[in-house]
Structure formats: structure tokens, C-alpha cells
């Protein structure tokens, strides 16, 4: 199956933002959803018209956000990558362009890689200098007690013409060592939140200062565990090294990375680190995004606290 | 004219280029309880080779190609001052490869570790081979390509030294940190040798690719672990 | 006393192939036997136009009193010299506090180097991280007179590379037994100064200092040995004097010209 969706958001003097284009075909059907953001943001959901992606599918999503427009794209449910009837790889290409002053929030539900699937997501984000981005990507390795097929996620972020992030993740039988202690250590879910905010430009003109906070289940302290351990090596509880905030080089951007036993744990860690902790003092912008807006369940924009 | 022995000099763990103080993320993995034994090390090394190793091989090969062109141009310019050989593109390519590694290394701690090792390798390269003194602050894979070029090695050999180094470093750290049987550990390295060669051949074949198309395979727990590790008060390894 | 060819030739135009290169005015002009090889690399001053500080290594077995000696030297020399410390010790904030409290050495004058479980490698076989740390101190603090490099505690065979330090002090203690100097090893036999520390403990551990003096003289020939108790002498007077004697004579330095310990 081939399908394409195209969404174009432009600034509107009255409502802040309006959709200049919103079209798609199954399984990529964009639907305007409410309530809209008070900051003049337009929100829409991708509603899946079919199971998938299936092996052989070729799906394309194109997003454009014009100067000063604000767009938030979500999905109503997780997508499930399945092997196709005739074999073959399923592909999802996402291309996003955001103009200066524009803001894009891409907050879909996770991708689940089913057993035997062969899926590749290629994301290419091009931001003009002065554009703002929040981009979430979550992957679940198999349905319940199921081994994952081959999934490859390739992400490129350009900001003002410079590539700030090239980050691929491969899991499954073809990816050597992916479930070992260097990559996922048996974690079944992994996710990232890519944040770009031009307000950090001054702060990050040098190598950004390190800021890392470990996310334990109830670790509100933000401090590394200081317990000693055998062989003189400090031993932190495993859950204390499952997430980190990573300021990128060369631009006002950071990547929040998290792994977990399931998607809920990953989402909780991403939300906790991104919303509560990373925001530099000088930046009010993402502070204004309450946790519920980053992480709603399905189409409700008022979901309660995560976790 | 150089041969295989030059590659042995460059890839030797005892080359004074700072490698012994870096565990390639192993110390963090050990302390978080993710790695305790030979089986854990095996998985760790495989994952590291498929991610960091693949990137290191690709960037070492690409940097070697660019550095060789720059050196050839410099030699031409010395022989004939009027030659006017324009090697600006290749110098720019080295800068761009360095930026490409920044983009593939979201963890600031890993970026620092890579640059520290790059500086140490260039220092060794200046003392041992005739590495351009202007090349000082480079990510380790780019430094490896530059030093390999100065040693007269081809891109595939720069790449194989890079791929092998990403696993031999943590393997040696595992022997020191966990007291694992050194024969068992070296058996793992021997098993991975074929994969190192394969990655190096791929890297050499694609050494001229646009930088965004070079490998970018990531290992989330290496990134996360490196940040946690950098925050410890006491550590035995620099990274 | 060497200019840095790399820094001075930031354009990369330095040409070893065609003839003698530039050196400081006070240096005898010479060419190098092997064109294309920079024999100066490990000993350069990163600040052009300045002289490189004297680097003194302090090595010795675990717990013999290396950090305590560094603190004593900071106490003794901190006011008269521009001083910085690189420590290969497994570095804790307690160590930093120790130097801060006892040595009056600000934190920005201390760099810690991780040794990957291999302290002797970092000071002897692969000195790159230590060289980096020394240069980093020189760049961030400006001209220095003296850099002390403390090794991690190791065994009797661990000595500093000449590529890293100009002089080295080997610290053993009497509590390790009066047999230690007799055992020899490169640290005891060849260090520029042997310090036998914790003499205050000698009666408690039954160590015979005269035996230690005799054995070290036999092992070391003309090289000096100092008996020390940092409990009794918290500024390590004899060692501090010995260090002063290593520095080029300077009239503007407080404490006057250096004098050698006998
Ligand atoms: N009694 C006595 N104790 C001393 C003397 N010098 C040092 N110490 C004590 O010996 C202990 C070890 O001293 P350090 O200076 O930490 O020894 P070190 O050689 O730096 O140890 P490592 O770095 O761990 O190898 C400390 O408790 C010191 O206070 C001394 O002259 N007499
Ligand atoms: Mg000490």
C-alpha cells in the first residue's frame, strides 16, 4: 500500500494558525482535533484507517509549518509494524519543515514492531534558524512476550542548514548486539524527545553545559546515586541509568533519551526529564507546556498526570 | 612505503594515545549492574561494534581519504610553489566530518571523551609520524584517519584500526575491572575480527559519501551511561 | 625552555623537510636527525614566549604519604611559586578538600587524571592524559613555575617517564617495613629524591631507620634520600628546599635563591 499525507500550517492573524492543507489517505488520515492550544496552536490527530504499516507499505508524511504558525500532530493509537503478505519492507518517510518563528510539536503514540516485521522509518526535519521543535519518537520491541522483527529508525535534524543530529536506531535479528548492555540491555521500549528552542541560542553558543538527571521510578532528587559497590566501582540502581538529557553540539537543541521495560515507563521518563528538569532558567517557552499536553492519552488533550 | 607492521603500530593498545584510561562505556555498564560476566561482555562488544564501531570505521576511512589528499596537495605545493593545488575542499571535508561526529554523539560526555582521545592520538601522531601540527582538536575517528594518512596507511586500514579499537579498549577494561579470564576476553575479540574487517571494507567503499549518509547507528545506553558516569564523584576510567 | 613549533606554526606550514627550523634565541641552533618528526612534542610550552614550568613527579606505594607530601609542598611553596598539581590519585572530593584545607591550593590549580585501573601506565607508558592535564593547567592559569604530578599509589617498580616529568620523588614509608629500600626497584634506586616518610611511626612498627639509611645509600649511590615525618614537619622543609633547588634561579621569587639540601 502507498499512502501520503500532507499538512501545511500557516500563521493566521485571527486564530494564530490555520491549516492551508490537510489531506491524506488510509492509513494516514489527519483529523483536526480540539481543544486547540491557547497559544494559537492548531492540533490534529492521525487516525489510522488500517492496521499497519505492513511489509511492502510505502507511507509518506509531509509537514510544513510556516513563519509564526504553531502545529501539533498526534496519533490516536500506537502503530503496529507487521510483516507483509508478500514479504518486503515497510517504509515510513516523514519530512518536516518549520520556518523561522514557527513551532512544531510531533507527539504520536509509539511504534510497535511485531515479530517478523521489517520496518524502516526515515525522518528528516529541517528547521530554519529561529524555529522551535518538540519531536517524540517511541519504539516498543514486540507485542506482549513477542520477539521484535527488524526495525530501523533513522533521524536527521537540520537547523539553519547545519545537521545537528544524525541518529539511527536498529533493533531486531539483523541488528547485532541490540539487546545487549551497550544498546538496550533487554529493555523492550525506548524513546526520545528532541527539543529545539532558539531561546537557548545564547546559552549554547559554546558547548552546552552538561545537564543530566537520572530518572528512577520515584527519584525526585535529581541527584546521582552515591552508594558504593563491590570492586570499588560505584553501583547505581539500574533504573538510575535509564534516561538522560543530552544537549546537542552546535545549536539550541537537546535530545532526551530513555529506555524502559514498557512504553509507560519510557513515556514517564521522557516527560519527567523534559518537562520538569531540563528547561534552563532563561527559557519560559516550554515551561508553558504542562505535562498533560506533552503526554495525553489518545485524543484527549486533558489526560491526567503520567504515571 | 608502509606495510602491515605500520598498522600494528597504530592499532596497538600500547600506543601512547590515551586509550588505556577509557573503558568505552564499560565502567558505567558494570556499575549499573548491566554487565557482570563474559556473556554480558560479549553482548556489550557486539552492540558497541555495530554502533560506535561502525561510525568510527566510516569516519576514520573518510578522514583518511581527505587527509591523504591534503597531504598530497601539500607535497605538490612544496615541490612547485606555482602548482596552486586547491585542497580547501578536503580541509573543509575534515571539518565537516568532525561536525558529522558531533551530530552523531548527542552525549556531551561522549563528545568530550572522543575529543580528548582525538587530541591524544594527534599528539602521538605528531611525535611518531609527520602529522600536520595544525590538526589538534578532532574527534577520535577523524584524528585516526589523519594519523593513518600520515603513517601512509590506506582508508580501509584506518577503518579497521577504528573498528577494532572500539572493542579492544572496553575488552581490556573488562579484564582490569571485572577480573574476567583474559583468554575468554580475547576469544571474544577474535570472534569479532571478521566483523571488524567487514565494517572496514564497507567504510572504505563509502568513504566519499555525503556526510549525512555515513552511518549513524546509536546505542542509547552508551549515551545515557556516559552522562551518568561523567557525574560520578570517583571513577577509574575517564569514560 | 623550548618554543612550541606546533603553536607557532598554526597554519601548518612548518617545514621540517628543508632545513633547520626556528628556535628560541637562547637555544643552540640545530637540525633534527629525522625530518618530519617533531622531537619536541611532549615537552612544549603551550603558551608561546613563556618557559615551561618544572615538572616534578611524586610516586610511591599506596598510602605512603604522596598526597600529604603534595599538601606539604603546597603549604611550603604556594606563596613563593606559581604552583599547580596534577593528581593520578583516585580522586575524591575529600582529596580536593584535603588540598584545599591543608595546602591552600585553589581547586582550579588541581587537575585529576583517570588512570583506568593502571596507575603506572598513566605516568610511564602512556603519558598523554597527564601531558594534557599539565598543558591545560598552563593554558588556563598562565605561566607557572612548578607542576607537581602525583601518581596513583602503585608498587615499587612504578616510575615516571622522562617525557612527563623533569625530576621525580619516590615516597616510601617506614610502616611498610625497614626492608623496603633493600628491595630496590626502579623507584627506590633511580628516583632523584627518595623520601622515607612517617619516621614518627618507626618505634611503633619496629623499623630501624639506620638500616633503611644504609640500604638506600647502597642502592642509590650519590642520589639523595630524606627522612621525613609529615606529622612533625608539616611543610616538609628538606623536600621543599630540594624542590627549590630544581628551579632556575629567579631574583623576584620570595624566599631568595634556591639552596640545595646536603
Ligand atoms: N603518622 C604519619 N602519618 C602520615 C604521615 N604522612 C602521611 N600520613 C598519613 O598516611 C595516610 C596516607 O597518606 P596519603 O598522603 O593519603 O598517602 P598517598 O601516598 O597519597 O596514598 P595513595 O594516594 O592512596 O597511594 C594518611 O592518613 C596520612 O595522614 C607521616 O609522616 N606520619
Ligand atoms: Mg594520594
Amino acid at each position: 500500500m502507498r499512502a501520503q499525507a500532507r499538512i501545511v500550517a500557516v500563521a493566521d492573524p485571527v486564530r494564530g494558525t490555520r491549516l492551508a492543507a490537510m489531506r491524506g489517505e488510509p492509513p494516514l488520515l489527519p483529523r483536526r482535533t480540539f481543544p486547540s492550544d491557547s497559544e494559537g496552536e492548531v492540533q490534529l490527530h492521525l487516525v489510522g484507517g488500517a492496521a499497519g504499516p505492513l511489509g511492502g507499505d510505502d507511507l509518506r508524511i509531509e509537514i510544513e509549518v510556516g513563519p509564526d504558525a504553531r502545529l501539533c500532530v498526534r496519533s490516536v493509537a500506537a502503530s503496529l509494524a507487521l510483516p507483509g503478505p508478500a514479504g518486503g519492507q515497510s517504509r515510513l518517510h516523514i519530512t518536516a519543515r518549520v520556518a523561522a518563528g514557527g513551532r512544531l510539536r510531533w507527539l504520536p503514540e509509539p511504534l510497535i514492531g511485531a515479530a517478523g516485521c521489517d520496518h524502516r522509518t526515515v525522518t528528516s526535519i529541517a528547521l530554519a534558524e529561529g524555529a522551535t521543535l518538540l519531536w517524540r519518537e517511541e519504539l516498543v520491541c514486540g507485542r506482549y512476550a513477542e520477539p521484535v522483527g527488524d526495525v530501523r529508525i533513522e533521524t536527521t535534524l537540520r537547523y539553519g542548514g547545519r545537521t545537528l543530529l544524525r541518529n539511527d536506531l536498529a533493533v531486531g535479528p539483523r541488528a547485532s548486539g541490540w539487546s545487549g548492555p551497550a544498546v538496550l540491555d533487554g529493555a523492550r521500549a525506548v524513546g526520545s524527545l528532541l527539543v529545539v528552542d532558539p531561546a537557548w541560542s545564547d546559552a549554547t553558543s559554546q558547548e552546552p553545559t552538561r545537564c543530566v538527571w537520572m530518572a528512577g521510578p520515584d527519584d525526585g532528587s535529581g541527584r546521582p546515586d552515591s552508594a558504593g559497590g563491590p570492586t570499588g566501582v560505584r553501583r547505581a540502581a539500574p533504573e538510575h541509568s535509564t534516561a538522560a538529557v543530552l544537549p546537542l553540539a552546535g545549536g539550541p537543541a537537546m535530545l532526551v533519551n530513555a529506555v524502559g521495560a514498557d512504553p509507560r515507563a519510557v513515556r514517564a521518563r521522557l516527560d519527567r526529564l523534559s518537562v520538569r528538569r531540563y528547561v534552563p532558567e532563561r527559557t519560559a517557552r516550554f515551561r508553558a507546556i504542562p505535562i498533560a499536553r506533552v503526554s495525553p492519552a489518545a485524543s484527549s488533550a486533558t489526560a491526567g498526570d503520567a504515571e | 612505503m608502509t606495510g602491515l607492521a605500520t598498522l600494528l603500530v597504530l592499532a596497538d593498545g600500547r600506543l601512547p594515545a590515551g586509550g588505556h584510561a577509557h573503558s568505552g562505556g564499560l565502567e558505567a555498564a558494570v556499575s549499573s549492574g548491566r554487565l557482570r560476566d563474559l556473556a554480558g561482555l560479549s553482548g556489550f562488544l557486539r552492540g558497541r561494534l555495530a554502533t560506535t564501531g561502525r561510525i568510527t570505521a566510516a569516519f576514520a576511512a573518510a578522514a583518511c581519504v581527505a587527509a591523504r589528499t591534503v597531504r598530497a596537495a601539500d607535497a605538490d605545493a612544496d615541490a612547485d610553489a606555482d602548482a596552486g593545488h586547491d585542497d580547501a575542499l578536503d580541509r573543509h571535508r575534515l571539518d565537516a566530518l568532525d561536525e558529522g561526529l558531533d551530530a552523531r554523539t548527542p552525549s556531551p560526555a561522549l563528545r568530550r571523551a572522543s575529543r580528548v582521545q582525538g587530541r591524544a592520538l594527534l599528539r602521538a601522531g605528531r611525535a611518531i609520524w609527520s602529522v600536520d601540527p595544525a590538526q589538534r582538536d578532532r574527534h577520535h575517528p577523524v584524528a585516526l584517519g589523519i594519523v593513518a594518512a600520515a603513517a601512509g596507511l590506506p582508508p580501509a586500514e584506518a577503518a579497521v584500526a577504528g573498528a577494532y579499537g572500539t572493542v579492544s579498549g572496553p575488552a581490556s577494561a573488562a579484564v582490569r575491572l571485572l577480573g574476567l579470564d583474559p583468554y575468554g576476553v580475547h576469544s571474544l575479540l577474535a570472534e569479532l575480527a571478521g566483523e571488524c574487517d567487514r565494517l572496514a571494507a564497507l567504510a572504505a567503499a563509502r568513504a566519499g559519501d555525503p556526510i549525512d549518509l555515513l552511518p549513524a547507528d546509536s546505542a542509547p545506553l552508551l549515551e545515557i551511561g556516559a552522562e551518568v558516569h561523567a557525574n560520578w564523584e570517583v571513577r577509574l576510567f575517564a569514560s | 625552555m623550548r618554543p612550541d613549533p606546533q603553536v607557532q606554526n598554526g597554519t601548518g606550514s612548518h617545514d621540517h623537510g628543508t632545513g633547520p627550523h626556528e628556535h628560541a634565541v637562547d637555544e643552540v641552533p640545530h637540525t633534527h636527525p629525522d625530518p618530519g618528526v617533531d622531537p619536541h612534542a611532549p615537552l612544549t610550552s603551550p603558551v608561546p614566549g613563556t618557559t615551561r614550568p618544572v615538572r616534578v613527579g611524586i610516586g610511591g606505594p599506596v598510602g605512603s604519604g604522596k598526597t600529604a607530601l603534595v599538601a606539604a609542598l603546597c603549604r611550603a611553596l604556594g606563596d613563593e611559586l606559581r604552583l599547580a598539581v596534577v593528581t593520578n590519585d583516585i580522586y575524591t572530593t575529600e582529596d580536593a578538600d584535603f588540598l584545599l584545607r591543608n595546602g591552600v591550593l585553589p581547586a582550579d590549580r588541581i587537575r585529576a587524571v583517570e588512570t583506568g585501573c593502571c596507575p603506572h601506565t598513566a605516568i610511564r607508558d602512556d603519558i598523554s592524559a597527564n601531558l594534557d592535564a599539565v598543558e591545560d593547567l598552563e593554558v588556563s592559569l598562565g605561566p607557572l613555575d612548578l607542576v607537581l604530578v602525583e601518581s596513583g599509589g602503585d608498587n615499587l617498580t612504578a616510575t615516571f617517564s622522562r617525557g612527563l616529568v623533569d625530576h621525580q620523588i619516590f615516597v616510601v614509608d617506614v610502616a611498610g617495613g625497614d626492608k623496603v629500600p633493600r628491595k630496590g626497584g626502579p623507584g627506590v634506586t633511580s628516583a632523584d629524591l627518595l623520601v622515607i616518610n612517617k619516621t614518627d611511626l618507626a618505634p611503633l612498627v619496629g623499623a630501624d631507620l639506620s638500616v633503611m639509611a644504609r640500604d638506600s645509600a647502597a642502592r642509590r649511590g650519590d642520589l639523595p634520600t630524606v627522612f621525613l615525618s609529615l606529622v612533625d614537619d608539616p611543610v616538609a622543609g628538606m623536600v621543599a628546599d630540594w624542590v627549590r633547588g630544581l628551579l632556575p634561579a629567579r631574583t623576584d621569587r620570595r624566599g631568595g635563591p634556591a639552596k640545595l639540601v646536603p
Side-chain angles (χ1 to χ4, degrees), chain A residues 65-225:
Chain A
V65 179
D68 300 320
R70 289 178 172 191
L71 175 68
C72 177
V73 182
R74 301 175 184 277
S75 64
V76 293
S79 47
L80 178 65
L82 290 163
Q89 193 175 55
S90 53
R91 283 185 303 271
L92 170 62
H93 283 264
I94 311 172
T95 317
R97 272 197 298 275
V98 185
R103 184 181 85 184
L104 172 62
R105 297 199 295 148
W106 169 261
L107 301 167
E109 295 308 301
L111 168 71
I112 303 168
C117 76
D118 181 1
H119 177 78
R120 185 163 167 229
T121 298
V122 179
T123 298
S124 175
I125 308 163
L127 305 183
E129 221 162 295
T132 303
L133 178 79
L134 188 60
W135 188 278
R136 186 171 64 207
E137 179 95 63
E138 291 162 324
L139 172 65
V140 185
C141 300
R143 287 167 292 193
Y144 180 73
E146 175 190 55
V148 67
D150 284 301
V151 179
R152 219 186 136 75
I153 296 175
E154 306 179 357
T155 306
T156 305
L157 166 71
R158 292 191 191 82
Y159 181 79
R162 175 178 170 162
T163 303
L164 288 192
L165 182 72
R166 269 294 288 114
N167 197 62
D168 299 351
L169 178 68
V171 302
R174 282 205 299 264
S176 175
W178 71 273
S179 66
V183 186
L184 293 184
D185 191 39
R188 290 175 49 82
V190 52
S192 65
L193 199 57
L194 182 51
V195 192
V196 182
D197 188 337
W200 294 328
S201 287
D202 323 334
T204 52
S205 56
Q206 313 254 298
E207 176 93 351
T209 49
R210 182 181 71 240
C211 45
V212 53
W213 297 279
M214 272 114 310
D218 284 301
D219 172 29
S221 70
R223 282 181 52 81
D225 179 17

Side-chain angles (χ1 to χ4, degrees), chain C residues 59-70 87-90 95 98 150-154 171 173 197-201 228-233:
Chain C
V62 176
S64 60
K66 298 178 293 298
T67 303
L69 179 60
V70 167
T87 175
N88 289 241
D89 206 348
I90 295 174
D95 276 330
F98 184 78
E150 181 194 346
S151 83
D154 207 304
V171 184
D173 65 3
N197 189 32
K198 308 192 191 177
T199 52
D200 56 298
L201 298 181
L228 180 68
S229 164
L230 287 166
V231 173
D232 299 337
D233 179 6

Side-chain angles (χ1 to χ4, degrees), chain B residues 18 123 130 136 176 233 235-236, chain C residues 6 36 93 114 116 126 128:
Chain B
R123 180 198 293 279
S130 60
R136 283 190 169 239
R176 282 175 271 162
E233 185 203 336
R235 52 185 166 261
L236 301 174
Chain C
Q6 287 123 21
T93 40
E114 289 94 351
D126 183 353
S128 52

